[in-house]
Amino acid sequence: MFQASKTHLNELQIKRLEEILIVIDKQDQIIGADTKRNCHLMENINKGLLHRGFSVVLFNTQNQLLVQQRADAKYTFPGHFTDSCSSHPLYVPEELEEEDAVGVRRAALRRLQAELGIPQDQISIKDITFMTRKYQKCQSDAVWGDHEIGYLLLVRKDLTLNPDPREVRSYSYMSQEDVQGLLDREARGAEKITRWFRSMVEDFLLPWWPYLEDVSPFVEPDKIYGL
């Protein structure tokens, strides 16, 4: 089943399936490691396999949110609109460090540079704010799904973008009204949106949006929503 389900993947996506992710319990405590492939197979998810992930919401200084459309070669939710950058910290020492979520923030910096092509001299770990965590479990198709505690990270900065087309099909900065319109079109069946992006917008981004110049009152590092 796995072989048949990966025929649409490009070489990069197949290679990345062998990355080693951080396996956790529902308290976000590290209990092991496994491949990205194994962590996203529904047969393992249904047995309880849970991993650590993150989502970055990137705003420019006009308070517009960068929304991307996932490449068609993605193994989960291909072609869906979603947040600015979603991925996983790896099971390596520098991304396992937990104080101030520094390991996850390092992973986010790595992926922002690799996936969105942001130049290294334009962004640092200090630009990435850890806001809160959210548990999610969702199915993409009969084979693939997602089961993670995701760290929600926020960046507000004007940055140069050069996304990797193997990862990103399209992208644009959207106002709050634009994002609401996207959600409305998805509700009518006119667009495809990842489930975590809808919940992220409705549960977090809409309340935060008027306060992006100072989001400190909304920072909840000890909270895990959705459990």
Side-chain angles (χ1 to χ4, degrees):
M1 181 181 292
F2 168 65
Q3 290 296 330
S5 72
K6 69 175 186 178
T7 54
H8 72 289
L9 303 183
N10 60 35
E11 184 178 348
L12 174 65
Q13 299 302 328
I14 293 173
K15 180 179 179 180
R16 292 193 63 214
L17 285 174
E18 300 310 312
E19 293 176 342
I20 304 300
L21 305 190
I22 302 168
V23 175
I24 54 175
D25 62 21
K26 287 190 175 181
Q27 287 72 49
D28 193 27
Q29 299 299 304
I30 298 172
I31 58 173
D34 210 332
T35 64
K36 186 176 182 180
R37 177 183 62 231
N38 287 341
C39 286
H40 290 85
L41 287 171
M42 283 305 304
E43 61 182 286
N44 296 327
I45 289 172
N46 289 333
K47 295 174 184 176
L49 186 60
L50 178 67
H51 64 275
R52 184 176 288 171
F54 66 81
S55 291
V56 179
V57 287
L58 170 58
F59 290 88
N60 61 22
T61 55
Q62 298 178 60
N63 292 341
Q64 296 171 314
L65 173 67
L66 180 68
V67 175
Q68 69 154 280
Q69 185 180 20
R70 293 164 64 85
D72 292 332
K74 289 282 193 178
Y75 58 98
T76 57
F77 303 97
H80 286 56
F81 288 95
T82 194
D83 52 280
S84 310
C85 181
S86 293
S87 192
H88 314 86
L90 302 180
Y91 195 82
V92 294
E94 59 270 24
E95 296 185 10
L96 284 164
E97 190 172 342
E98 296 191 314
E99 186 175 358
D100 298 325
V102 68
V104 175
R105 290 160 61 214
R106 285 177 181 143
L109 181 63
R110 170 175 57 81
R111 291 305 302 162
L112 286 167
Q113 294 168 347
E115 184 172 317
L116 298 182
I118 299 173
Q120 293 185 13
D121 61 353
Q122 290 190 12
I123 189 168
S124 73
I125 193 172
K126 294 179 181 179
D127 297 312
I128 303 171
T129 300
F130 168 39
M131 298 295 295
T132 191
R133 292 171 289 178
K134 175 75 181 290
Y135 169 84
Q136 65 174 15
K137 183 179 182 181
C138 51
Q139 186 167 348
S140 178
D141 56 30
V143 177
W144 300 107
D146 206 2
H147 189 213
E148 70 174 40
I149 291 178
Y151 285 56
L152 185 50
L153 309 173
L154 186 145
V155 176
R156 182 174 181 268
K157 195 172 187 179
D158 292 326
L159 298 164
T160 302
L161 304 176
N162 184 25
D164 185 340
R166 299 173 298 177
E167 300 273 12
V168 180
R169 177 174 168 182
S170 67
Y171 63 100
S172 64
Y173 280 101
M174 293 188 177
S175 66
Q176 183 174 340
E177 292 74 20
D178 293 334
V179 171
Q180 186 61 61
L182 179 63
L183 297 186
D184 292 343
R185 292 194 299 277
E186 189 264 349
R188 300 194 301 268
E191 301 284 7
K192 295 186 295 183
I193 297 175
T194 61
R195 188 183 306 176
W196 68 84
F197 182 53
R198 173 175 282 280
S199 66
M200 185 186 307
V201 172
E202 294 176 341
D203 296 342
F204 302 108
L205 298 192
L206 292 181
W208 295 352
W209 219 303
Y211 307 99
L212 288 174
E213 294 185 15
D214 181 14
V215 294
S216 57
F218 299 95
V219 173
E220 298 179 286
D222 298 325
K223 183 87 172 179
I224 302 177
Y225 285 88
L227 288 173

